[in-house]
Amino acid sequence: KGTLGSHLISLKDKRDNSMKSGVYEINCKTCNSKYIGQTRRRVQERWKEHEAACRLKYPQKSAVAEHILETGHEIGDKKLLKEVTNPFELNAWESYFIETSEDLLNLEEAPIRSDLFGLAHFNL
């Protein structure tokens, strides 16, 4: 039996992570390198652009493509690190993940450089 609430489906946050926007990670399948990026669009769309840059041999379009094309490695797992719906928070969150990660493929430094990223408490 139960209550009506126990029979209803909660739609809150049921979207697949690939359909969200925010800060994402693309791993190299062959080595321990990874790329951290951000997008206001669905991360799935941005991942497809990285894959297309690899397939079409456009290393200038993507740090991931540059790594794949130079080394002959393969794209590995892709994941959303942090859903970010406020575009004004994207640079800060991307910077946080870049500053606290190792073995990055990123060609550019984090958008925001701050010692706070090592000290601040972030609600992940």
Side-chain angles (χ1 to χ4, degrees), residues 103-121:
D103 299 323
L104 291 178
L105 299 173
N106 295 57
L107 301 175
E108 299 173 2
E109 291 184 352
I112 300 171
R113 306 282 301 176
S114 174
D115 292 337
L116 291 174
F117 295 121
L119 304 171
H121 171 73

Side-chain angles (χ1 to χ4, degrees), residues 44-118:
Q44 180 182 46
E45 293 174 25
R46 187 65 187 110
W47 294 339
K48 286 180 182 179
E49 292 172 351
H50 284 287
E51 291 167 346
C54 294
R55 190 176 59 256
L56 299 172
K57 297 183 174 37
Y58 290 137
Q60 68 278 12
K61 298 275 187 185
S62 161
V64 175
E66 182 174 320
H67 175 75
I68 298 301
L69 294 169
E70 284 182 1
T71 62
H73 291 177
E74 294 180 49
I75 292 179
D77 294 334
K78 301 175 285 286
K79 65 181 173 183
L80 180 70
L81 295 173
K82 173 77 175 168
E83 180 180 17
V84 181
T85 55
N86 181 343
F88 297 108
E89 295 178 2
L90 274 171
N91 282 343
W93 279 110
E94 181 187 29
S95 296
Y96 169 75
F97 284 106
I98 287 173
E99 293 296 326
T100 58
S101 298
E102 297 178 4
D103 299 323
L104 291 178
L105 299 173
N106 295 57
L107 301 175
E108 299 173 2
E109 291 184 352
I112 300 171
R113 306 282 301 176
S114 174
D115 292 337
L116 291 174
F117 295 121

Side-chain angles (χ1 to χ4, degrees), residues 6-46:
S6 67
H7 294 287
L8 296 177
I9 301 170
S10 171
L11 296 177
K12 184 178 180 187
D13 210 29
K14 293 292 184 189
R15 286 183 307 148
D16 184 86
N17 279 345
S18 67
M19 303 303 278
K20 298 176 182 178
S21 62
V23 179
Y24 62 90
E25 177 181 287
I26 299 175
N27 292 290
C28 177
K29 189 175 187 177
T30 313
C31 67
N32 290 328
S33 298
K34 61 186 162 192
Y35 175 83
I36 294 175
Q38 63 165 281
T39 183
R40 294 180 189 182
R41 299 174 294 145
R42 295 184 300 194
V43 292
Q44 180 182 46
E45 293 174 25
R46 187 65 187 110

